[in-house]
Every structure is written in C-alpha cells, then in structure tokens.
C-alpha cells in the first residue's frame, strides 16, 4: 500500500497531468504557433479556431480601422493610400523613449482565396544599433472547417545583424504570440457567431 506522502505526490502528479488534458479537450479554440529563428531571421506561424463569418474575419485582417485597433500600442498607425483590394499602412513604434522604428506595409486582399498578403515596403530606425528589417512578408488565411473557421497568420522576416539582434528576435517572438492572442480576442468580439459581415 502507498504511504500518505506517496499518495499526496501521486495525486499532485495526476492533477498536473490531467488538468492540461481536460483544458485542451474543452477549449478547441486554443492558439497554436511555431516560431523558428536563425541568427538574423525568423518565421512565425500561428492559428486559432473561431465560430465566425469568414467575410468578417477577412475584413478585420485587411481594413485600416481594424488594423489600427489591433495595434493600439503603436505610437502611430497611418493609412497612406488604398485601392479596392489593396492598401499601404505605416506603423511607428517607440520604445524606452530613445528607440523609434517606422515601417510601411503593402496589403493585398484576395477574396476568392480568403487571404490577405502583406509585404514590407520600407523600414527605418532612428538609431543604428537597432536591427533593421531587410525584408518581410506574410499572410492572413481564412479557412472554413465545418461550422468554424481556422484563422492562420504567417510572417517571415530578415534582419540586419547587429549587436542586439538576438534580443530583438526574443522580443519579436513574444510580440508575435501576444498578437495572436489579441487577434483571437478581437475576432471573437467583432465577428463571433456573425451571420453576415459586420460594419
């Protein structure tokens, strides 16, 4: 027979093992992600499942007002120009008062394939010590799966190799994961159980 202490430890182990299993079983919308990096580049893939209209999900992945709402931590998010199925948006971020970065992105909406592609047009830093984005691109993809939609996000980025590039990559990973959670929450709040595209 097991002693009292062994029973307690056995119970704790069961709780540690079983709680995650039951949590994942009861939460099919869990965010999945994969971050891969080299010395000066990274790729990020994330996805989540949501009960929402795919047109609404595509809209919040493309339209300026939603992009701005999803990036409220930026100092400025500005719409530069737009067409019927494309836009150019600039982002300005400022960290610790001293560091400032401004990027411009081109987005293309492909309604037929339920996809938004984005490409970096330019990237500027105010200090040379900061790694600069040489190139970056990615996409948002909406896939219908029964009554639900799978929202996929992918980005690849090549950076200049500076003294703090590795620190920047660690920050990029945390920010990408944080963004997926924010995007998931926003999608559920704005599009959840929608039967038609919201305004």
């Amino acid at each position: 027979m097991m002693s009292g202490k062994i029973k307690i430890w056995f119970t704790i182990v069961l709780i540690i093992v079983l709680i995650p299993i039951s949590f994942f079983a009861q939460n099919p919308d869990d965010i999945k992600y994969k971050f891969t990096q080299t010395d000066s580049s990274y790729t990020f893939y994330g996805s989540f499942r949501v009960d929402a209209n795919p047109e609404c999900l595509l809209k919040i992945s493309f339209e300026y007002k939603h992009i701005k709402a999803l990036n409220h931590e930026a100092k400025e998010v500005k719409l530069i120009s737009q067409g019927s199925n494309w836009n150019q948006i600039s982002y300005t971020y400022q960290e610790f008062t001293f560091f400032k970065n401004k990027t411009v992105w081109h987005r293309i909406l492909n309604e037929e394939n339920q996809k938004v592609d984005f490409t970096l047009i330019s990237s500027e830093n105010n200090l040379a010590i900061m790694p600069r984005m040489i190139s970056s691109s990615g996409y948002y993809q909406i896939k219908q799966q029964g009554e639900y939609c799978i929202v996929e996000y992918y980005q690849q980025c090549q950076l200049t190799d500076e003294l703090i590039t590795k620190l920047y990559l660690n920050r990029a990973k945390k920010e990408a994961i944080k963004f997926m959670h924010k995007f998931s929450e926003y999608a559920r709040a704005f599009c959840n159980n929608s039967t038609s595209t919201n305004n």
Side-chain angles (χ1 to χ4, degrees):
M1 294 180 67
M2 292 187 291
S3 66
K5 287 184 177 180
I6 294 175
K7 285 182 179 179
I8 292 172
W9 280 110
F10 184 73
T11 302
I12 292 172
V13 169
L14 279 177
I15 291 172
I16 292 172
V17 171
L18 293 178
I19 284 180
I21 292 174
S22 62
F23 177 81
F24 286 119
Q26 295 173 16
N27 291 272
D29 300 330
D30 288 337
I31 293 170
K32 298 177 182 178
Y33 63 85
K34 181 179 180 180
F35 188 90
T36 305
Q37 72 179 70
T38 64
D39 289 340
S40 59
S41 68
Y42 71 84
T43 60
F44 178 85
Y45 172 85
S47 68
F48 61 87
R49 193 174 80 160
V50 61
D51 179 10
N53 184 284
E55 291 180 12
C56 182
L57 294 169
L58 199 62
K59 172 181 272 192
I60 66 173
S61 302
F62 174 73
E63 292 187 355
Y64 166 68
K65 67 177 182 179
H66 299 294
I67 300 304
K68 185 176 182 179
L70 282 164
N71 291 273
H72 61 84
E73 295 175 354
K75 183 177 181 181
E76 182 182 57
V77 181
K78 184 178 180 181
L79 178 64
I80 298 173
S81 58
Q82 64 180 339
S84 60
N85 70 333
W86 63 273
N87 60 39
Q88 286 192 0
I89 299 174
S90 69
Y91 303 76
T92 301
Y93 287 91
Q94 187 163 345
E95 298 288 343
F96 310 115
T97 306
F98 307 106
F99 303 127
K100 185 183 289 185
N101 168 258
K102 181 178 180 180
T103 56
V104 177
W105 300 82
H106 185 77
R107 291 170 178 259
I108 299 176
L109 173 65
N110 186 332
E111 292 186 86
E112 184 179 352
N113 293 320
Q114 298 287 281
K115 190 176 183 182
V116 175
D117 292 291
F118 58 86
T119 306
L120 177 71
I121 301 299
S122 64
S123 176
E124 299 175 0
N125 297 328
N126 67 329
L127 296 176
I129 191 174
M130 295 174 63
R132 183 177 59 82
M133 281 192 247
I134 300 172
S135 65
S136 183
S137 62
Y139 62 81
Y140 296 83
Q141 178 85 59
I142 314 300
K143 295 180 178 179
Q144 192 80 46
Q145 192 177 80
E147 298 179 355
Y148 294 88
C149 282
I150 303 297
V151 179
E152 297 180 334
Y153 173 81
Y154 171 82
Q155 182 183 12
Q156 64 82 23
C157 184
Q158 179 68 46
L159 303 164
T160 56
D161 193 3
E162 311 293 345
L163 289 174
I164 62 171
T165 296
K166 288 185 178 180
L167 291 175
Y168 182 91
L169 288 170
N170 289 334
R171 174 71 180 270
K173 179 180 180 179
K174 292 178 182 178
E175 290 300 317
I177 296 169
K178 183 179 177 181
F179 173 76
M180 286 304 298
H181 284 278
K182 186 188 300 182
F183 189 50
S184 173
E185 291 172 4
Y186 190 86
R188 286 177 173 80
F190 192 84
C191 299
N192 197 30
N193 295 314
S194 57
T195 56
S196 61
T197 304
N198 288 290
N199 295 320

